[in-house]
Amino acid sequence: MTGSSAETSPFYLRVTCFLLSIALLLCGLYWAQAILIPVLAAMLLAFLVLPLVGKLQRWRLPNWLAALLGVLAVLAVGIALFGFLSWQILSFSGDMPMMQSALEQKGSHISTYIEQQFNVSRETQSEWLRKKRDTFIDEGANSAMNIFTATGAAVAGLALIPFFMFFMLLYREKFKKSIEFLAPESHEKVLEVIRKIAQVSQQYLQGMLLVILILSVLNSIGFLFLGLKYAVLLAFIAGVLNIIPYVGVMIGSLIPVAIALVTKESPMYAVGAFGVCMFVQFLENNFITPKIVGSSVNLNPLSSLLALLMGGLIWGLPGMVFAIPMAGIFKVICDNVEKLRLYGFLLGEEAPAQIRKLKYARGTFGKKVKVQQAAETYPKN
């Protein structure tokens, strides 16, 4: 269909085609998640180590060796992190009998309180708990089978990430040449957009890694001051869960509170753990993330929330992790494509500081809409 015929098509037909395209795209993302998730993870990690690979090449290392060393650097960090978590989890599992005994003791106190305050006998409480336990076991068995099946696919996907990374780094010049062949007249513009995407990805990932480290240290100090067991492990889990906006913060706060309730006699320790999480989260929201991550993705809260919900709906937990950086990449594309700048403006955190003129841009359905646009280079990244 030519551009003139598309503009003269009925409005309902254009809307139908647009909605159908969105539906097909979402279906494709859902059904191809087994291959797309490791590819996207490899792409983001490749962007992260790209400066290191470029520096190694400037030191006269062969392209394949520089790419291999970049992948090995990521693997070394991953293996060290896995070893640390394994050590902490083994220590945690060694104290499980003690925690179970403490949990039973606290449950007995709670049962006595319920019997005295609400006149519900222990037998009735035990019967209710038994039914809930049986239901939980039945559901847990089904969930375990699903997790076992999903774990195999996840492990296979994780094993593919280093290979995807290596080949992306190795053949990046070939990718650049292919763009020149596909778009000989506008390849410089396309390469500029790709460079901006790489820059956004690097800034976001580096910033998030530094934020996780700072949050882990701050939470560790607070939990150690309270005398909580597994303080470093709990602090690291809370820091990592911060990657998932809104939801991760809540889950990361509940875990240390639950551990404090089980391992400490006074409930004030749980209140203190919650206070530590809230204080650190206040610092993260108002000082740490704005200074470190800054405006690398430059998404407003509504866009971030919608991206998070859409990512979770399509890909589950991995989708929630990838939602913000992918939305930021989509915004970079919108900002640098004339007909999509309106959507980049809507996704952004705020309007440009200086708006010099009004300009007409074509909307999604071919209708001209008046939008505010900064002169010449809006938006600047």
Side-chain angles (χ1 to χ4, degrees):
M1 182 178 291
T2 63
S4 59
S5 60
E7 293 179 9
T8 57
S9 299
F11 176 75
Y12 70 86
L13 182 59
R14 295 197 296 271
V15 172
T16 303
C17 292
F18 174 74
L19 295 178
L20 182 61
S21 301
I22 295 296
L24 291 176
L25 175 62
L26 295 178
C27 290
L29 291 174
Y30 177 78
W31 290 110
Q33 60 181 300
I35 187 67
L36 289 179
I37 290 176
V39 167
L40 286 176
M43 182 187 72
L44 294 175
L45 291 174
F47 284 147
L48 181 63
V49 300
L50 192 57
L52 173 62
V53 174
K55 182 178 292 187
L56 291 175
Q57 284 189 293
R58 288 193 294 273
W59 291 349
R60 306 291 180 162
L61 267 67
N63 186 23
W64 68 269
L65 182 57
L68 180 61
L69 291 177
V71 175
L72 290 178
V74 174
L75 287 177
V77 174
I79 292 172
L81 182 60
F82 179 78
F84 168 76
L85 289 177
S86 300
W87 170 57
Q88 289 288 310
I89 291 172
L90 286 175
S91 176
F92 178 80
S93 61
D95 290 337
M96 283 298 293
M98 180 272 296
M99 294 183 63
Q100 183 178 358
S101 175
L103 184 61
E104 291 175 353
Q105 183 179 1
K106 291 183 181 294
S108 177
H109 294 328
I110 294 174
S111 179
T112 302
Y113 177 81
I114 293 175
E115 183 179 16
Q116 293 174 352
Q117 297 295 324
F118 301 99
N119 198 26
V120 179
S121 65
R122 285 175 173 264
E123 291 75 12
T124 304
Q125 296 179 47
S126 300
E127 181 66 19
W128 182 82
L129 288 174
R130 186 186 62 78
K131 291 180 179 178
K132 291 297 181 182
R133 183 193 61 190
D134 294 342
T135 303
F136 178 78
I137 291 175
D138 293 338
E139 294 178 352
N142 295 329
S143 299
M145 292 300 297
N146 294 332
I147 291 174
F148 180 79
T149 304
T151 302
V155 170
L158 289 175
L160 291 174
I161 291 176
F163 296 98
F164 284 136
M165 274 187 65
F166 175 75
F167 290 118
M168 287 178 181
L169 293 170
L170 182 65
Y171 295 127
R172 63 186 187 280
E173 291 298 328
K174 182 171 291 189
F175 296 148
K176 184 185 298 185
K177 289 293 183 182
S178 65
I179 293 174
E180 295 179 6
F181 286 127
L182 292 174
E185 298 181 356
S186 59
H187 71 276
E188 288 295 337
K189 179 66 175 178
V190 176
L191 292 176
E192 180 64 23
V193 173
I194 294 176
R195 280 192 287 269
K196 290 180 179 179
I197 290 174
Q199 182 180 8
V200 167
S201 302
Q202 291 169 11
Q203 291 177 350
Y204 178 80
L205 292 176
Q206 291 172 356
M208 286 306 300
L209 290 175
L210 185 56
V211 167
I212 290 173
L213 178 61
I214 294 174
L215 294 183
S216 300
V217 172
L218 293 177
N219 282 320
S220 296
I221 294 173
F223 296 158
L224 288 172
F225 179 78
L226 292 173
L228 292 185
K229 283 194 170 185
Y230 329 111
V232 178
L233 177 62
L234 295 175
F236 180 76
I237 291 174
V240 170
L241 288 174
N242 189 73
I243 297 177
I244 306 174
Y246 312 113
V247 179
V249 173
M250 180 181 63
I251 299 174
S253 301
L254 291 177
I255 295 175
V257 170
I259 294 295
L261 286 173
V262 173
T263 59
K264 295 292 184 179
E265 293 294 332
S266 174
M268 295 306 296
Y269 286 97
V271 176
F274 184 75
V276 169
C277 294
M278 291 300 99
F279 177 70
V280 172
Q281 191 59 38
F282 171 78
L283 295 179
E284 188 269 334
N285 286 334
N286 295 279
F287 301 101
I288 299 174
T289 296
K291 293 295 183 182
I292 297 177
V293 180
S295 57
S296 58
V297 292
N298 195 26
L299 295 173
N300 61 56
L302 177 60
S303 302
S304 301
L305 183 59
L306 290 175
L308 185 69
L309 293 175
M310 188 64 69
L313 179 65
I314 298 174
W315 287 349
L317 181 60
M320 298 176 75
V321 173
F322 290 131
I324 302 302
M326 295 312 298
I329 290 174
F330 178 69
K331 184 182 183 301
V332 171
I333 296 173
C334 291
D335 288 345
N336 291 274
V337 176
E338 183 70 26
K339 292 184 178 181
L340 298 179
R341 283 185 173 179
L342 172 62
Y343 306 106
F345 175 79
L346 293 175
L347 292 171
E349 176 65 30
E350 58 186 8
Q354 296 179 347
I355 299 178
R356 299 181 182 179
K357 61 182 179 179
L358 296 175
K359 187 173 182 179
Y360 283 97
R362 293 198 175 275
T364 306
F365 307 123
K367 181 180 179 181
K368 287 186 176 181
V369 294
K370 185 180 289 187
V371 295
Q372 289 179 323
Q373 178 184 3
E376 298 149 3
T377 57
Y378 166 70
K380 294 182 179 180
N381 293 328

